[in-house]
């Protein structure tokens, strides 16, 4: 296979954190600025409560933006006889000839399992850098199994046959 086939997983959490952070930053800045020492004369204790809440909203918005920017979106690629899974600095490269079949694990966060040509699940090192290995590659919760199946069909990788009557 010489052409490039690519699937970028949608990242709803990344969008939510970026949107929430972008909303909280101006709200917090406005609340802290309007009620601060330069605004709302003689508001008493309420003024400092509003300043504290504005500062907390400002800090929360900043933390959400930073965390949203740091989140990595998983990407599946097949190009030049190689299957690749990329998530930030974590990259899995498998020769295309060594991929026999695939399966999609259901759940809140979808995962992609790959099998070798004999049908045994492949083991992958953990994405978070832990020492444990896993038989799947994590995708995102918004990734549709139908999109993954279409990507694998386009790449030429068959689904895993789990029937008891296969081969007859």
């Amino acid at each position: 296979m010489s052409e490039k086939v690519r699937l970028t997983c949608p990242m709803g959490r990344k969008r939510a954190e970026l949107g929430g952070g972008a909303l909280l930053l101006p709200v917090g800045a406005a609340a802290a600025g309007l009620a601060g020492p330069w605004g709302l004369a003689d508001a008493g204790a309420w003024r400092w409560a509003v300043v504290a809440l504005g500062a907390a909203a400002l800090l929360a918005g900043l933390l959400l933006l930073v965390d949203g920017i740091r989140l990595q979106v998983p990407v599946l690629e097949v190009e030049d006889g190689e299957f690749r899974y990329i998530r930030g600095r974590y990259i899995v490269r498998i020769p295309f000839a060594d991929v026999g079949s695939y399966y999609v694990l259901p759940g809140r966060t979808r995962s992609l399992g790959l099998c070798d040509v004999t049908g045994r699940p492949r083991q992958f090192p953990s994405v978070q850098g832990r020492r444990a290995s896993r038989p799947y590659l994590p995708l995102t919760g918004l990734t549709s199994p139908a999109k993954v199946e279409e990507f694998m069909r386009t790449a030429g990788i068959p689904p895993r046959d789990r029937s008891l009557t296969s081969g007859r």
Side-chain angles (χ1 to χ4, degrees), residues 7-17 71-74 76 87 104-111 138-149:
L7 171 69
T8 302
C9 298
M11 186 66 92
R13 180 178 161 203
K14 182 176 184 105
R15 290 186 189 129
E17 287 189 10
L71 284 175
Q72 301 295 323
V73 179
L76 301 173
R87 186 173 177 185
V104 179
L105 295 169
R108 195 180 94 205
T109 302
R110 307 251 190 282
S111 299
L139 303 174
T140 60
L142 292 178
T143 305
S144 166
K147 277 187 144 181
V148 175
E149 290 170 2

Side-chain angles (χ1 to χ4, degrees), residues 4 8 15-18 20 36 41-42 51 58-59 61 88 91 96 101 105 123 135 147 157:
K4 184 177 192 175
T8 302
R15 290 186 189 129
E17 287 189 10
L18 289 174
D42 289 336
V51 169
L58 192 65
L59 181 64
I91 300 173
F96 191 73
S101 60
L105 295 169
Q123 294 291 322
K147 277 187 144 181
I157 302 172

Side-chain angles (χ1 to χ4, degrees), residues 1 10 41 43 46 51 58 64 85 90 109 120 123 148 165:
M1 172 172 278
W46 287 103
V51 169
L58 192 65
L64 280 173
Y85 170 86
Y90 181 80
T109 302
R120 291 182 303 219
Q123 294 291 322
V148 175
T165 61

